[in-house]
Amino acid sequence: AEVAEAKETIGAALSVGESVPGATGAAVADAARVAFESGVALTCLIGAVLLTTAAVGVGIVLGREARSGVRAS
């Protein structure tokens, strides 16, 4: 039951890591932290790429409108 819970949330994984004695518990807690941090990093990277793509798209559209003198309504 603890293993299934540990796979669901970072809090549960850290709790299981603290309840398991010795190096095994420390390894579980470390693995949970690393997995969480890598997930956050990937999410931030995806967000940055999407934001940059949107900014470039807006810049292109506004640049075309400025050059043509057409205003979006």
Side-chain angles (χ1 to χ4, degrees):
E2 286 184 342
V3 174
E5 290 177 18
K7 290 181 179 181
E8 294 298 317
T9 66
I10 181 73
L14 291 174
S15 177
V16 168
E18 290 174 1
S19 69
V20 175
T24 303
V28 169
D30 287 342
R33 285 186 195 95
V34 169
F36 179 77
E37 290 170 2
S38 67
V40 169
L42 178 61
T43 302
C44 288
L45 177 62
I46 291 169
V49 168
L50 291 173
L51 184 61
T52 302
T53 302
V56 168
V58 167
I60 290 170
V61 169
L62 291 178
R64 286 180 184 163
E65 289 179 2
R67 283 192 299 275
S68 68
V70 175
R71 296 184 79 188
S73 50

